[in-house]
Amino acid sequence: MKSALRQWIILIAILIASFLMYLPSISNNFIWDDHTIIEDNPVMRISNPSFFLGETYWPPIMTNLPPPYYRPMVIFCFWMEFKIFGSSPVMFRIFNLFLFFITTILVFYFAKKLFGSEGIALFSAAIFALNPIHTESVAFVSGMTDVSAAFFIMLAMLTFSSEKWWSKFLCAPVFFALSLFSKETATAGLLIFPAYEFFIRRRKFWSVTVSTLPFIIPVFVYFFLRHWVLGVFGGYQVQSLNILSRIIAIPYILVRYIQNIVFPFDLAPLHPQWYFDHSTVYWLLWVLPLAAIIWGIFAVVRNWKLKFGVFWAVIFLLPALRVGASHQGALWAERFAFLSTIGASIVIGFYFNKLFDLGTAKYKDVGKIAVFGYIIILFIFGFEYSFWWRNDWIGFRRIINDAPNQPVGYSGMAEQFLGIGETDSAYYYIREALERDSANPLVLTTAADIAIKMRKYDDALSYSKKLIDLHPSYTGAYIDAGISSIMLGDTNVALNYLKKAIEIAPLNPMANKIYSEMLLSLGDTVNALFYLRITEQLLPDDSTISRRYEKISSEFEE
């Protein structure tokens, strides 16, 4: 009884330390993708929850190209949070943190079940809870995909490790399915279950195969629904890259991930490295440190349970090698390693437990000092890094600092200044972004928005036309082109642009609203009311649109 109370006191202390570490990130602000996925997403306003299996993670308001992500479990969670908390960012952030704490507790129980050691379990939980590499996933609301996938994969493993058949063959596959529906990288988990049978239960091939069969069903269901909703099995591809360019960078990416999992001190919202930054020889040289790491792992890891932990860490890193290629021009990103860190935390927790008790008569506390020193350093780095996730202003400044040659930070700062009406500052930053990448769709859209605000309609139309040429399925280009054409007095061209925007993204509120106002100015009240009604349905919280619709409707009836 005393032992159980003691372990809970220590576990609660770990969670409190983790909460304090993430405290600087808690604010009443959505950031980055949150605006599109949650705040401005019409799906959040739908009253019927049955929609979520048929919805994409990225709302279809920007383009008609197949979005790369199908994550219905997270969309459903966001929808539920929106219904309960409204559009309060702070509650979304706290819920994400709460789910992370529950996942930490599950990691504790799984490690304890694996090794039968309270010490290993507590160290594993501490490493998982205080590792700054998780900051992007925990402090960034849209990063809930990682936390949710980890939560359900841990439930799946705990139920699979049970000796009860219904837990192993019914509950575990259901939890695995929910993990898949949270993030596609959980697909790698299909190999975790046979690995558990082989490494931990020491079962033979036939038994391992039979135990895995129930988990093939969730994978099949997931990809069937994914293809049904997205129209594709995969997602966006980086067309400028060939397979060789991807392969030769793998050693570098793996080393950087391993480095930041164990020593997470080179964290950045956007890492500036890219495939074309270095020669083939440079990338191939990274085979040497990778080989040294692999040799070290084989030399040290003898225990079958530790081998399982290493296998877990490696297998969940594999999807990150593909995903990293499409992450805003970055080669790799910390959040892609989230699932991998569960296995890594268990392995590190095992050795920390041994180190903690290590010591000689003369230096009996050296192990304890090393362990606590490492954990304190993790906390300090995590506390500092979580501050950068408070709001867009801070985040984009950090991106400019970490990746000064990338356009993302400058474009983001331009959007922030445009939002508060400081067009001169916005213009400065968008010029910086254009110098770095004049073909980036977000940069061109922001440039057009700023030009419209500065009443430079010819410039805005020029940016919009360039974006249409480069990305003909990008809705924002047609909306900006339509607005610019209206201001330049070219009504027919404006109508065509806005109509095209609605054809591409029928659920885009801005396109429907501007098109309705355009039709109203031309005397087409019937169609204007039709599109204004759509806008009202997409943005039911906006009372000005409702009042506008009622006024025009009543005037038309009279």
Side-chain angles (χ1 to χ4, degrees):
M1 184 67 180
K2 289 183 178 179
S3 177
L5 179 61
R6 174 178 171 273
Q7 77 177 18
W8 267 104
I9 290 173
I10 296 174
L11 189 57
I12 290 171
I14 291 169
L15 296 180
I16 291 173
S18 182
F19 175 78
L20 292 175
M21 188 180 84
Y22 286 109
L23 191 60
S25 71
I26 298 176
S27 69
N28 201 33
N29 295 283
F30 285 119
I31 60 172
W32 301 359
D33 298 346
D34 297 343
H35 301 295
T36 302
I37 295 171
I38 302 170
E39 189 175 24
D40 300 329
N41 191 349
V43 168
M44 296 296 116
R45 279 85 178 170
I46 294 175
S47 58
N48 188 350
S50 62
F51 73 91
F52 75 99
L53 282 175
E55 289 296 329
T56 62
Y57 184 64
W58 274 90
I61 60 174
M62 297 175 67
T63 177
N64 62 355
L65 294 174
Y69 307 128
Y70 177 61
R71 300 165 179 174
M73 188 64 216
V74 177
I75 287 295
F76 178 71
C77 288
F78 286 156
W79 179 85
M80 286 292 295
E81 290 178 71
F82 199 91
K83 293 301 175 186
I84 297 170
F85 307 130
S87 57
S88 170
V90 69
M91 296 308 299
F92 279 82
R93 287 172 176 265
I94 290 173
F95 181 82
N96 212 28
L97 196 55
F98 172 76
L99 188 62
F100 176 66
F101 290 160
I102 299 298
T103 306
T104 301
I105 294 172
L106 296 178
V107 170
F108 165 80
Y109 276 111
F110 182 66
K112 188 177 181 181
K113 189 169 190 175
L114 201 61
F115 291 99
S117 167
E118 177 187 301
I120 295 174
L122 287 171
F123 279 122
S124 299
I127 297 301
F128 184 79
L130 297 171
N131 196 327
I133 199 173
H134 296 150
T135 305
E136 184 173 355
S137 300
V138 178
F140 180 26
V141 175
S142 296
M144 182 189 174
T145 53
D146 303 301
V147 184
S148 179
F151 170 73
F152 286 115
I153 203 74
M154 289 311 304
L155 285 178
M157 279 308 307
L158 285 167
T159 50
F160 182 77
S161 62
S162 171
E163 297 299 329
K164 297 176 181 178
W165 70 268
W166 54 267
S167 176
K168 183 175 181 179
F169 296 115
L170 293 179
C171 295
V174 170
F175 288 132
F176 178 55
L178 294 176
S179 182
L180 284 171
F181 283 1
S182 297
K183 192 167 186 178
E184 56 283 344
T185 51
T187 309
L190 183 64
L191 299 176
I192 287 297
F193 304 101
Y196 185 88
E197 292 288 274
F198 176 75
F199 287 111
I200 307 303
R201 288 182 167 142
R202 307 297 295 136
R203 299 283 172 81
K204 294 183 179 179
F205 176 78
W206 176 249
S207 178
V208 169
T209 304
V210 171
S211 298
T212 308
L213 291 177
F215 296 93
I216 296 175
I217 298 172
V219 174
F220 175 81
V221 171
Y222 171 78
F223 280 102
F224 173 81
L225 290 172
R226 180 186 177 92
H227 190 272
W228 171 58
V229 174
L230 305 184
V232 292
F233 286 113
Y236 295 146
Q237 296 294 323
V238 182
Q239 297 177 353
S240 59
L241 294 176
N242 56 44
I243 189 65
L244 182 61
S245 299
R246 293 171 182 268
I247 291 173
I248 62 173
I250 285 176
Y252 170 84
I253 298 172
L254 283 173
V255 170
R256 294 307 302 271
Y257 273 127
I258 295 168
Q259 168 202 323
N260 259 15
I261 289 173
V262 181
F263 302 107
F265 311 133
D266 181 26
L267 304 174
L270 180 65
H271 290 281
Q273 297 86 3
W274 187 237
Y275 291 98
F276 307 128
D277 291 346
H278 302 284
S279 67
T280 302
V281 174
Y282 173 86
W283 295 121
L284 291 177
L285 285 174
W286 283 89
V287 171
L288 299 176
L290 180 61
I293 292 171
I294 294 172
W295 177 84
I297 290 172
F298 275 104
V300 174
V301 178
R302 303 286 184 177
N303 186 307
W304 283 99
K305 294 175 181 178
L306 287 178
K307 289 179 181 179
F308 173 72
V310 171
F311 181 85
W312 180 305
V314 171
I315 206 67
F316 278 113
L317 272 184
L318 297 182
L321 303 179
R322 178 189 63 83
V323 177
S326 61
H327 177 59
Q328 292 188 18
L331 198 61
W332 59 297
E334 275 85 25
R335 70 172 180 268
F336 298 147
F338 193 92
L339 290 173
S340 176
T341 61
I342 296 173
S345 298
I346 291 172
V347 173
I348 296 171
F350 174 86
Y351 285 108
F352 270 30
N353 187 60
K354 294 188 71 172
L355 183 62
F356 191 77
D357 295 328
L358 184 66
T360 63
K362 189 175 182 180
Y363 303 107
K364 62 179 181 179
D365 293 326
V366 66
K368 295 180 177 63
I369 294 171
V371 169
F372 280 123
Y374 178 83
I375 292 174
I376 290 170
I377 291 172
L378 289 185
F379 177 86
I380 293 171
F381 271 83
F383 183 85
E384 185 274 336
Y385 188 54
S386 67
F387 174 80
W388 296 97
W389 298 87
R390 285 186 62 82
N391 57 51
D392 285 325
W393 289 94
I394 299 172
F396 286 123
R397 285 194 179 99
R398 175 65 184 252
I399 291 178
I400 291 174
N401 179 72
D402 292 333
N405 294 323
Q406 295 284 347
V408 179
Y410 300 97
S411 178
M413 286 301 295
E415 290 178 4
Q416 301 312 301
F417 279 111
L418 181 63
I420 61 173
E422 293 190 15
T423 53
D424 289 339
S425 296
Y427 182 76
Y428 165 79
Y429 278 104
I430 203 60
R431 295 306 305 173
E432 292 290 323
L434 286 166
E435 285 180 11
R436 285 155 179 80
D437 188 354
S438 61
N440 185 294
L442 292 177
V443 172
L444 288 171
T445 301
T446 306
D449 291 339
I450 293 170
I452 289 171
K453 192 74 173 180
M454 298 179 75
R455 299 182 180 181
K456 297 180 178 180
Y457 303 116
D458 288 318
D459 290 346
L461 189 59
S462 176
Y463 290 131
S464 301
K465 286 181 176 180
K466 181 177 181 178
L467 181 52
I468 290 170
D469 290 337
L470 293 170
H471 303 278
S473 297
Y474 203 80
T475 315
Y478 294 94
I479 295 175
D480 285 334
I483 295 172
S484 302
S485 298
I486 291 171
M487 302 312 295
L488 291 170
D490 202 337
T491 306
N492 292 328
V493 172
L495 278 174
N496 290 332
Y497 278 129
L498 294 170
K499 187 176 181 180
K500 182 65 176 178
I502 293 174
E503 288 176 2
I504 293 172
L507 298 181
N508 188 296
M510 181 63 70
N512 281 279
K513 180 182 178 181
I514 297 173
Y515 191 55
S516 68
E517 294 294 342
M518 188 73 187
L519 291 172
L520 189 64
S521 68
L522 296 173
D524 191 351
T525 310
V526 175
N527 284 319
L529 284 170
F530 173 78
Y531 288 103
L532 192 58
R533 177 60 175 165
I534 293 175
T535 308
E536 183 188 34
Q537 292 171 346
L538 294 172
L539 299 174
D541 324 0
D542 194 335
S543 59
T544 59
I545 295 174
S546 299
R547 290 196 298 269
R548 176 73 169 155
Y549 177 81
E550 291 172 2
K551 180 182 178 182
I552 296 171
S553 181
S554 60
E555 289 176 354
F556 179 70
E557 289 173 0
E558 292 174 1

